[in-house]
Amino acid sequence: MGVRPARTTAPTAAERARSVLAAAWSCAVTTDHCHEELVGAHSVAADGAVRLCVPADSALTAAAVCAPRGEPTALLEFSDPAPVPVRERIRSRLWMSGRFVQDGDHLVFQPACAVLHVPSGHIGIDIADFARAEPDPLATAESRLLTHLADAHADAVEWLTRLLDPESLAEVVRVQPLALDRHGLTLRLERLGGQEDVRLPFHRPADDLAQVTERMHVLLSSARATRRPTLRSVAPKE
């Protein structure tokens, strides 16, 4: 009896949210009394709690200390921009409401509610699922991997379009790598009148950079063996 290939899935909403949190470098914090844009000021605990390093004289510190205990005191927003230039570059936003607890010179934000905003709508995330979920193992490397793919291997991106139904390439003027996770690669198909995102799943999830390299080689080998036209031969000129 042959070995059946592992079923490829997509990240759960909780995993996607944790990946946004892991990769984000900045966040916006809003309370009833202030709004601050913080850059390089947060770290994330294993359970998803966010630790902020803010000046002692910050309005945010004062708002957190004065807020009634046990009530939501803040809204944190994290953006997830595509690392390559595409239309509508923000792929998703993570909103978390909760309260702050002061811990020495830091504020620890304990989320009570998490919502992932994606182009197709809003996804509410159970906070227990959020705490248990882990970020994608490629989350912090995704930006440089996609940038390298777009800048140094544009020919490979074009080859990958052979894995798509030729009809889906109608009127497409450009294809860019949009997202990468352990389960697959997402391409952005840009047309004159809009865009579409298509997913190319890996045959097996990748747990590290070495494995994702192998998974990409498998996709490219499949594309080269597929007797279909590439984007260049079916798409109109800009």
Side-chain angles (χ1 to χ4, degrees), residues 105-122:
D105 295 333
H106 294 79
L107 293 176
V108 178
F109 178 80
Q110 299 177 333
C113 177
V115 178
L116 188 66
H117 296 249
V118 295
S120 60
H122 301 167

Side-chain angles (χ1 to χ4, degrees), residues 29 34 36 42 44 48 52 109 118 128 171 230 234:
V29 185
C34 66
E36 292 196 22
H42 76 275
V44 185
L52 297 178
F109 178 80
V118 295
E171 301 184 356
T230 61
V234 299

